[in-house]
Amino acid sequence: MATVFMKWLETSPETYDRGIQLLTLGRLTPLKEKIAREYVQPGMRVLEIGCGTGTLTQMMAERGAAVTGIDASPLMLAEAQAKIAAAGLDKRVTLKQMDASLIGEKFEPKSFDLIVSTLVFSELPVSAQTYVLAACVDLLAANGRLLIADEVLPQNKLGRWLYWLIRLPLVLITWLLTRTSTAALVDFDNLLSEVGFNTNRTVSYLVGTLVLYEAAPANLQSPISNLPAAVNGRLHHQTTILTLLKDAWALFFRVIPPYPKQQPGLYAIGQPDETAPVLVTGNYDLTVRRVVKALDGAIDCWLLVADSAGINVWCAAGGGYFTAEKVITAVKSSHLEEIVSHHALILPQLAANGVDGWKIRQETGWGVHWGPVKAADIPAYLAARRKKTEAMRWVRFPLKDRLEMVSATLGLYGLMILLPTFIFWRHLFWPVTAVFLSLAYFYAIVLPWLPGKDGLWKSIPLTVLALAGLGVWTAVIHPLPPRQLFNWAIALTAFSVFTGGELQGMSPLMRGEQANWGWEATIWAVLAAIYWVTPLLTK
C-alpha cells in the first residue's frame, strides 16, 4: 500500500492543471488574463512565484514584460519551458527551479516592478508566508506592486458556511482525482499589513473564496531582517480523547484525506539550549506525536516540523511532498540560525528517497545527517555522537507493525469491498466481512513464513490454507451442499489472491502491489469463468 500510495500521490503537470481548473470552477484562467491585461506593461521586470506550467508566464511575456518564473517542481518547469519555447518567448522569459523561500537571497533588492503569485501562498505554512512576503518588500522597486491570487477563507459567517458546504467537498473531490489542492488563507489581509504592505482586494470570485490582492510596500525599509526567530511552542507526550480519536482514524483510514496535521515550524522538546540537536520531520500529526513520545523525557532537542502535506515522511518523500525545498523553507522561515549555535540537521532515514541532502547543504549551509529508521533509536544515536549501528539502519517488520499496517490497508479496501456488499448483497455482508478480516490478519501474522518473495506467490500457500480451513469447517462444524461449497471455494481463492497481491504493499520489504495488477486481473477473470461455466457443464 505504501508504494502505491507514493505513486498515487505524484502529480503530473497535466493533472495539476486539470485539478486547478476543477478546484476554481474555471475562474483562475480569466483571473490570470486580468493580471496580464491590466497590470503588465512592456519593459516591466516581473517575478512570478510558483509559475507552474507557465500559463500566466506566457501571457505576461506576450505583453512585453521580462518575466522570471520560479517553481520548485522540475516537471512543472519542463512543461513551462516547452510552452514558452513553442510561443517563441525564450528571450523574454527566464525559468529557475527554486523554492519561494530563496527569493530574497537569489535576486538583487529592488530588481522587480511586479511580483505575481497564484495559488502558492495557500500551500505555505504561515511562517513561510511571512518570510516570503518580507522578501517581496525587499525585491520590489519604487512604485512596485505585489499581486496575489489565492483561495481565501471568507471573513463573514455566511461566506464561511458556503465555503464549508460547497468548496470543501470540491477540494476533496479534486484531491481524490488529481492529488491537487489548496488550503484557504486565513486572516491574510492582516498578515500583509503586519509585514509592511498596503493592500486592496481588487476582485473576488466564488463567493469571495478566490481573491486577487494588490499590495504595495508601505515603506522602503527591509522587514526581513526584523523578523523574529520563531519557536512555535513546546511539545509534550500526552494521551487525550483527541489523540485517541486521531490514532483510531490513523489506524484504519490513514491513506484517506484529510490528514491530521501539525503546524509546521520549530518546537522545543524538553529544555533545549543553543547546542541542542535539531531533528527534522514532516507535519503528519501521527508522525510528530510518535517522535515526541520517543524523545520527551529522554533528550532535550529542537524539532523542526517541515510541511509534508500532512503525509508521513516516507510516503511524502516518495510522492514529492517532502523535499529539500520544504526543509529549506522550514529552516529559513524559523530563523533557526538565530536559535542554535551549530549547523547540523538530523533527518529521518526514510525520507532519503525524496530529500536531496546536498541541496539543503548548498542552499542553507546546514549539514544533513540521516538519523535512524526508528524514532525510539534517536536517543542512543545521539549518545553515540550521531553514529548508527546496523540495527538502526534496517527497516524491520515485526508482528506489531504488520498488524498495524494491515489495519491501515483494510480501512480503504474495506470501504471498497464491504460497503458495496452491504448495499447490494446484504445477506453476504457478515460472511464476507469475516473472510475478509480473517484472511488479512492471518496473512499479516504468517507473512514471514509463507514461501515466495512476491505477494502473488505467497497467495498460493495462503489459498491452500484457506481452502483447507473451508474443508475442516464443512466436515466438522457446518456441512455445506456441493454448489455452496464450490461457490465458497471460488470466493476464498479470489480473496486469497487479493490478500496476497494487494496487501503485500503493507510491507516496506516488498515491492508495491501495482506490479501484480495485471496478473490479479487475469486470475480473477479465470475464476469468474470457472464460476459461471462449471455449473453449466455439470447440469
Side-chain angles (χ1 to χ4, degrees), residues 50-71:
C51 62
T53 58
T55 301
L56 180 55
T57 313
Q58 179 179 341
M59 292 179 185
M60 294 188 294
E62 289 173 341
R63 292 280 295 171
V67 185
T68 300
I70 68 166
D71 203 286

Side-chain angles (χ1 to χ4, degrees), residues 102-328:
L102 297 177
I103 59 174
E105 301 176 14
K106 297 298 184 179
F107 300 111
E108 294 295 324
K110 316 305 176 188
S111 56
F112 296 103
D113 305 302
L114 182 67
I115 300 178
V116 180
S117 167
T118 58
L119 296 184
V120 171
F121 278 86
S122 57
E123 297 180 8
L124 302 175
V126 175
S127 57
Q129 293 173 15
T130 305
Y131 188 83
V132 175
L133 287 173
C136 289
V137 174
D138 288 345
L139 294 178
L140 284 170
N143 300 318
R145 291 291 182 271
L146 171 66
L147 298 178
I148 296 176
D150 222 313
E151 186 182 16
V152 176
L153 188 65
Q155 295 177 331
N156 60 78
K157 290 184 178 180
L158 177 60
R160 293 198 177 199
W161 274 107
L162 290 173
Y163 173 83
W164 292 114
L165 290 174
I166 301 173
R167 294 284 291 155
L168 190 61
L170 185 61
V171 168
L172 179 60
I173 292 170
T174 303
W175 166 257
L176 292 174
L177 293 176
T178 67
R179 260 68 64 212
T180 300
S181 185
T182 60
L185 295 167
V186 179
D187 206 21
F188 195 60
D189 302 71
N190 287 336
L191 179 59
L192 284 164
S193 177
E194 290 173 3
V195 172
F197 281 101
N198 292 324
T199 308
N200 177 38
R201 291 190 179 201
T202 63
V203 66
S204 65
Y205 297 115
L206 304 175
V207 200
T209 61
L210 181 62
V211 174
L212 175 62
Y213 290 95
E214 179 186 355
N219 56 67
L220 299 179
Q221 294 183 348
S222 172
I224 197 165
S225 59
N226 298 325
L227 292 177
V231 179
N232 286 27
R234 197 175 305 278
L235 296 177
H236 298 282
H237 170 60
Q238 55 184 344
T239 300
T240 65
I241 294 177
L242 180 59
T243 61
L244 291 175
L245 290 174
K246 289 181 177 179
D247 286 343
W249 176 269
L251 180 60
F252 295 104
F253 302 110
R254 68 180 58 174
V255 301
I256 303 175
Y259 309 118
K261 300 177 183 179
Q262 176 74 36
Q263 178 66 31
L266 184 65
Y267 295 87
I269 298 178
Q271 301 292 331
D273 58 19
E274 63 178 13
T275 65
V278 179
L279 303 167
V280 182
T281 191
N283 71 325
Y284 180 39
D285 180 79
L286 181 63
T287 298
V288 174
R289 287 191 291 110
R290 286 187 172 179
V291 170
V292 172
K293 180 180 180 181
L295 303 182
D296 193 18
I299 61 172
D300 298 319
C301 65
W302 300 101
L303 184 64
L304 185 62
V305 179
D307 182 14
S308 64
I311 303 166
N312 71 79
V313 292
W314 187 29
C315 291
Y321 287 84
F322 188 58
T323 62
E325 288 76 14
K326 296 296 182 68
V327 177
I328 292 168

Side-chain angles (χ1 to χ4, degrees), residues 443 451-463 494 496-504 510-511 513 515-524:
Y443 183 57
K453 294 184 178 181
D454 181 88
L456 279 181
W457 285 106
K458 289 180 181 292
S459 72
I460 296 174
L462 185 65
T463 301
S496 298
V497 171
F498 175 86
T499 301
E502 290 300 299
L503 270 65
Q504 76 168 20
M510 299 171 70
R511 63 177 181 165
E513 58 267 29
N516 292 329
W517 286 345
W519 282 108
E520 287 180 58
T522 301
I523 294 171
W524 293 333

